[in-house]
Amino acid sequence: MHKPVMLSEVLSVTMQMKPRWMLDATFGRGGHTRALLENFPEARVLALDQDVAAVEYGNASFAAAIASERLQVQHFNFHNFADFKAVPAGGFEVILLDLGVSSPQLDESARGFSFYQDGPLDMRMDQSQELTAEHVINRWPEVELLELFRTYGEISRPQRVVRAVVNDRVNKPFLSTLQLA
């Protein structure tokens, strides 16, 4: 079972509110949601995640809470929350965002996030999206890769890395995480 890192802090702040409706906008494996449901028996939780696997896990693992209508789990990216239609009357008393990747995304080589285990060069948080890391690495122009690596890869001077990628992909496209690593 997943144990969130800052669970006691989340519960401490939430205890002061006595919420009726809570939004867990980054459900993951449901560690926060489980604790919220256990600690607030009168409350309801709407859980969102952009990861289809997380939503499937939630629907299977939290079936009793879903059946009792205390929990709803939906595939949705909180980035688009302005377009969200299922906000309860009166809104949410608690909104939780636990930003970052979840352990299963890193641990499962098939997800394509790990550079320690070989897997497809995927790296999609939302598997329903079409754009994969394989496409980006093999098709984006050098200038766009430079910006990507600088901004999101936290590489202050990515020129050598990007130049190597651009040169190597001409002979053989990158298909796996270990190949890219």
Side-chain angles (χ1 to χ4, degrees), residues 142 146 149-150 155-165:
E142 184 172 346
L146 281 168
F149 278 59
R150 187 179 296 113
I155 301 172
S156 59
R157 291 184 271 173
Q159 293 83 353
R160 286 180 38 193
V161 172
V162 169
R163 195 168 301 118
V165 166

Side-chain angles (χ1 to χ4, degrees), residues 68-97:
S68 71
E69 298 184 353
R70 290 196 59 219
L71 174 64
Q72 298 172 39
V73 182
Q74 296 184 22
H75 179 239
F76 194 82
N77 186 330
F78 67 83
H79 180 270
N80 302 315
F81 196 72
D83 300 329
F84 195 67
K85 307 292 185 218
V87 176
F92 298 101
E93 288 86 15
V94 173
I95 297 176
L96 174 67
L97 293 136

Side-chain angles (χ1 to χ4, degrees), residues 46-147:
L46 174 59
L48 309 175
D49 207 294
Q50 68 175 332
D51 185 343
V52 173
V55 173
E56 291 171 353
Y57 173 87
N59 286 326
S61 299
F62 289 78
I66 292 169
S68 71
E69 298 184 353
R70 290 196 59 219
L71 174 64
Q72 298 172 39
V73 182
Q74 296 184 22
H75 179 239
F76 194 82
N77 186 330
F78 67 83
H79 180 270
N80 302 315
F81 196 72
D83 300 329
F84 195 67
K85 307 292 185 218
V87 176
F92 298 101
E93 288 86 15
V94 173
I95 297 176
L96 174 67
L97 293 136
D98 181 7
L99 305 176
V101 296
S102 67
S103 298
Q105 291 166 333
L106 296 175
D107 295 342
E108 296 171 12
S109 62
R111 295 299 302 271
F113 284 98
S114 176
F115 287 119
Y116 301 109
Q117 304 175 62
D118 203 17
L121 198 51
D122 190 329
M123 298 186 184
R124 291 175 296 167
M125 298 289 281
D126 180 350
Q127 303 91 326
S128 69
Q129 298 295 312
E130 291 184 24
L131 185 64
T132 64
E134 179 184 331
H135 177 88
V136 170
I137 290 297
N138 289 307
R139 298 190 182 163
W140 279 19
E142 184 172 346
V143 67
E144 290 182 34
L145 287 176
L146 281 168
E147 185 60 28

